[in-house]
Amino acid sequence: MATLVETLTSALSPLKIELSSDMPVIIVEKTRLIEAIQFLVQDSECCFTFLTDLCGIHYPDQNPPVLGVVYHLHNMVKNTRIRVKAFTPVSEPVIPSLTGLFSSANWMERETYDFFGIRFEGHPELKRLLNMDDMVDFPMRKEFMLEDPTRTDKQDAYFGR
């Protein structure tokens, strides 16, 4: 793992790298996301050629509030994984699309758009995937209400709230 960190630091500097217990985590500026992912895919030491997953995250308590996308990449030959994070302000929720690098990103980006409202610039067909087209909210954002406030048959105290 030390050589991977050295390779990433020398190729993509400046870069924030965190070593979590399960895999290295790279935090990149959204403007350098494509460059970073391309390097991870094409570099002979990295070879992270499989996009396992991508998902959205929401940090409403940060100032200003931010949305982010977390990418999990896998090197099948060495059986190693890496996590890449990119953030964007809630006021401008746009991140570059990875559909040009991974065709599997198509539906995952649509799902992230559907639930978090993050627009993927360059996506071939960005539209809602699971929610209704006329829905204006994004249900996985933390400002989305968990329950219908007009319900009288349920007490939050029973659910630890």
Side-chain angles (χ1 to χ4, degrees):
M1 184 165 345
T3 56
L4 175 62
V5 171
E6 291 169 10
T7 302
L8 294 172
T9 304
S10 65
L12 299 172
S13 187
L15 184 70
K16 183 175 180 184
I17 299 177
E18 300 171 354
L19 297 175
S20 69
S21 61
D22 56 344
M23 68 182 81
V25 179
I26 301 172
I27 300 172
V28 299
E29 295 291 326
K30 68 179 185 177
T31 56
R32 296 190 67 203
L33 177 65
I34 299 293
E35 173 192 357
I37 299 289
Q38 266 181 330
F39 178 81
L40 290 169
V41 170
Q42 296 171 353
D43 183 72
S44 60
E45 284 197 37
C46 296
C47 293
F48 290 99
T49 56
F50 183 72
L51 176 65
T52 307
D53 185 33
L54 74 83
C55 60
I57 49 178
H58 183 207
Y59 294 112
D61 297 332
Q62 286 190 4
N63 192 10
V66 295
L67 292 166
V69 179
V70 179
Y71 302 88
H72 293 104
L73 301 170
H74 192 148
N75 176 328
M76 300 292 241
V77 176
K78 296 179 182 176
N79 194 26
T80 55
R81 296 176 189 267
I82 196 164
R83 183 177 297 132
V84 180
K85 295 180 181 181
F87 295 97
T88 185
V90 171
S91 59
E92 187 189 337
V94 179
I95 293 226
S97 174
L98 292 188
T99 54
L101 294 171
F102 299 103
S103 57
S104 62
N106 190 321
W107 281 58
M108 291 185 265
E109 288 179 355
R110 285 181 61 190
E111 180 185 39
T112 302
Y113 164 71
D114 197 6
F115 287 104
F116 288 91
I118 299 171
R119 293 187 311 275
F120 291 90
E121 193 170 56
H123 191 280
E125 190 180 6
L126 191 62
K127 63 181 184 178
R128 289 205 182 260
L129 183 63
L130 298 169
N131 290 311
M132 299 176 299
D133 288 335
D134 58 346
M135 187 173 184
V136 296
D137 293 322
F138 300 104
M140 293 300 286
R141 286 193 187 179
K142 294 184 180 171
E143 71 253 4
F144 189 77
M145 294 177 52
L146 294 175
E147 298 291 338
D148 181 356
T150 62
R151 282 186 71 172
T152 58
D153 63 329
K154 191 171 182 181
Q155 293 182 13
D156 282 346
Y158 295 143
F159 300 94
R161 292 187 250 161

